[in-house]
Amino acid sequence: METWDAIRARRNVRTYADRPIGEADLERILEAARRTPSSMNSQRWDFVLVTGRESLRRLAGVWRGAGHVAEAAAAIALVAPAVDEARTRESIQYDLGQATMSIMLAAADAGIGSGHAAVENQPLAREVLGFPEDHFCAWLIALGYPGDRPLRPLRAPSRRPFKEVVHPERW
Ligand SMILES: Cc1cc2nc3c(=O)[nH]c(=O)nc-3n(C[C@H](O)[C@H](O)[C@H](O)COP(=O)(O)O)c2cc1C
């Protein structure tokens, strides 16, 4: 897919076809994550790739909005150091947001759908994923071929109007 098409075709996909994602595609999606820019190139992230059905089903329990993870072909857990300082925490979240978009666009490029999930139950996430005590699982990104319809550029995305959000020169 062209980059512009991938940007317009990405949408949250929460129902998945019963079709595995090939290793080369998963590797490319993770490589996109690894290449993401970060504040001072600090790369305060680790990516745990989960494809086992039992683990995916358990991960679906980390938050009431994570149910879609259960039937995904795979999920990438974004794991980061737990820090107290607010500014650093915000900076890590900014970087993780960029990594998320890298993952989602690389997936869309290959026709693979993706869906965010927040993580509330950290002990459960740690039990399934095995990350260290001084880290936390910030987000899950479920991946899978769409179960509803293939990814195609959306004509009218559910977004505030261009003229409302874009301010030429000054607000
Ligand atoms: C920070 C963030 C957290 C999100 N958490 C969840 C979630 O826990 N569960 C979920 O189903 N969707 C989640 N979403 C998906 C949003 O609801 C979705 O991106 C938004 O409604 C726009 O829809 P679109 O992605 O299809 O364009 C999250 C998105 C973001 C950016």
Side-chain angles (χ1 to χ4, degrees), residues 143-166:
L143 299 168
Y145 290 95
D148 47 6
R149 60 193 188 282
L151 293 181
R152 296 260 185 272
L154 299 174
R155 278 174 170 276
S158 164
R159 292 296 188 266
R160 291 166 58 202
F162 188 91
K163 284 193 170 156
E164 183 183 308
V165 297
V166 177

Side-chain angles (χ1 to χ4, degrees), residues 10-12 14 63 65 68 116-118 139 159:
R10 186 220 57 84
R11 59 183 166 84
N12 253 258
R14 300 186 181 89
W63 162 243
H68 55 289
H116 310 78
W139 305 99
R159 292 296 188 266

Side-chain angles (χ1 to χ4, degrees), residues 14-150:
R14 300 186 181 89
T15 55
Y16 307 99
D18 183 16
R19 174 182 169 193
I21 301 172
E23 260 182 48
D25 284 324
L26 286 173
E27 201 172 308
R28 179 175 285 198
I29 290 166
L30 288 159
E31 177 63 5
R34 189 180 76 89
R35 285 175 181 252
T36 299
S38 59
S39 172
M40 294 186 289
N41 202 22
S42 48
Q43 303 168 68
R44 297 159 297 188
W45 51 46
D46 285 86
F47 307 108
V48 184
L49 172 68
V50 180
T51 56
R53 183 59 55 209
E54 183 54 28
S55 294
L56 291 166
R57 291 208 170 119
R58 293 187 72 201
L59 285 175
V62 296
W63 162 243
R64 61 185 162 79
H68 55 289
V69 175
E71 301 307 323
I76 297 174
L78 308 191
V79 175
V83 293
D84 289 333
E85 211 256 312
R87 223 181 120 102
T88 310
R89 262 207 327 264
E90 279 174 20
S91 161
I92 289 173
Q93 287 293 352
Y94 186 98
D95 293 348
L96 293 176
Q98 300 216 106
T100 298
M101 205 57 189
S102 298
I103 287 168
M104 291 188 155
L105 288 180
D109 178 60
I112 295 164
S114 58
H116 310 78
V119 181
E120 186 183 58
N121 188 337
Q122 290 294 325
L124 175 57
R126 183 173 286 109
E127 201 178 292
V128 177
L129 300 168
F131 54 84
E133 284 289 332
D134 57 353
H135 282 60
F136 75 111
C137 180
W139 305 99
L140 296 172
I141 304 172
L143 299 168
Y145 290 95
D148 47 6
R149 60 193 188 282

